[in-house]
Amino acid sequence: MLHLEEVGSTNDWLRENASQFGDGQWVRADRQTSGRGRVGRQWQMPQGNLAASCLIRPQPGEGWAAELGFVAALALHDVVAGFVETSRLQLKWPNDLLLDEAKLSGILLEREADVIILGIGVNLAVAPVLPDRRTIALAEVGIEISAPGFANLLAEAFGRRREMWRKHSFHPIRSDWLERAHPFGTRLLVTSGEGKIAGSFAGLDTDGALLLDGDDGKAHRIHAGDVWQPGPATGAEPVGGKEKG
């Protein structure tokens, strides 16, 4: 794994230097000055947290690029489950990992021609304060692990999950993700291109789309959006979003 002291964004750095590397190259940075998340959000990276990216050149047998987000989310779950009870962890569509119902990590997939850049940020030492969601860091629950140590574990776990995906397609990835996700029937509010849709979690489609039994009586298939958990006071409280720098 390549180590950089400071970059604007590990995703950007790896994309700009993609021609120098083959499939599976990881890069980790101590500091990011221009980390970003989904839909242009800023990704904060306090000292001691993880910012890492992996260059992926799709291989024979691998499915749709969007499925890689679920592969990566499972790898993250595998690593963190080695430190805390799995009952405290939950995957949130499309690929966030929550600890004690607070956002622990973010994932960002970006494509450039035939190259996919997978970016992952994890709150190891400090949880950034965000205005619209609860966050948490591993250090807050007594787990002390360095960014290099976590990055190595993550790279190994991702390699195993990617091999599983390559050999057996998306089906076992989907099944494992559902076992670790919010329970069926969980009340959700989704903000997507269709606007805001409230309903109950009905699973994950075979292509990774979120299935929602809408309060409008319709069955919705959602490919992109922010997921919120309805709250009694405000009508909706965020449970995290898909983002990483």
Side-chain angles (χ1 to χ4, degrees):
M1 179 174 297
L2 289 174
H3 169 234
L4 304 172
E5 291 187 357
E6 181 175 301
V7 294
S9 158
T10 54
N11 267 29
D12 287 347
W13 188 92
L14 199 51
R15 181 174 54 251
E16 292 164 4
N17 294 278
S19 62
Q20 302 179 35
F21 305 112
D23 175 59
Q25 178 64 58
W26 283 85
V27 60
R28 179 186 68 81
D30 293 332
R31 293 180 298 279
Q32 280 192 142
T33 59
S34 305
R36 66 181 181 283
R38 187 173 170 273
V39 295
R41 292 192 184 100
Q42 181 183 14
W43 178 266
Q44 299 180 36
M45 188 203 163
Q47 189 70 22
N49 286 356
L50 176 71
S53 297
C54 180
L55 185 147
I56 297 168
R57 298 185 184 278
Q59 302 296 302
E62 295 184 337
W64 296 105
E67 296 172 2
L68 276 164
F70 299 94
V71 176
L74 284 173
L76 270 173
H77 190 286
D78 291 344
V79 174
V80 180
F83 299 99
V84 303
E85 296 179 2
T86 56
S87 60
R88 300 173 65 181
L89 300 175
Q90 186 178 92
L91 292 175
K92 186 190 73 64
W93 187 88
N95 48 35
D96 273 358
L97 177 61
L98 308 182
L99 170 60
D100 296 338
E101 300 183 348
K103 183 180 178 70
L104 178 67
S105 67
I107 295 172
L108 179 66
L109 281 174
E110 296 182 310
R111 184 154 199 162
E112 183 78 18
D114 60 345
V115 170
I116 299 166
I117 308 296
L118 167 68
I120 299 180
V122 184
N123 300 330
L124 302 179
V126 181
V129 177
L130 301 179
D132 61 349
R133 69 200 69 202
R134 291 180 56 234
T135 59
I136 194 169
L138 288 180
E140 294 179 34
V141 296
I143 306 301
E144 301 288 344
I145 183 169
S146 68
F150 192 96
N152 289 334
L153 292 174
L154 178 60
E156 293 171 2
F158 179 72
R160 290 191 295 270
R161 285 292 184 176
R162 187 181 176 190
E163 181 68 13
M164 174 183 178
W165 175 56
R166 182 185 300 122
K167 288 184 175 180
H168 305 290
S169 75
F170 187 55
H171 178 72
I173 295 296
R174 174 178 175 270
S175 296
D176 284 358
W177 189 92
L178 284 169
E179 288 179 5
R180 295 157 176 78
H182 28 63
F184 282 74
T186 298
R187 296 287 301 159
L188 299 175
L189 177 65
V190 181
T191 302
S192 70
E194 302 177 47
K196 291 186 177 180
I197 306 170
S200 300
F201 177 59
L204 193 67
D205 210 345
T206 55
D207 62 353
L210 172 69
L211 300 179
L212 193 72
D213 288 336
D215 292 348
D216 56 6
K218 299 178 182 179
H220 296 270
R221 293 178 72 257
I222 300 165
H223 289 278
D226 286 328
V227 176
W228 309 66
Q229 180 177 337
T234 62
E237 294 178 357
V239 292
K242 174 188 173 187
E243 52 182 287
K244 187 271 160 196

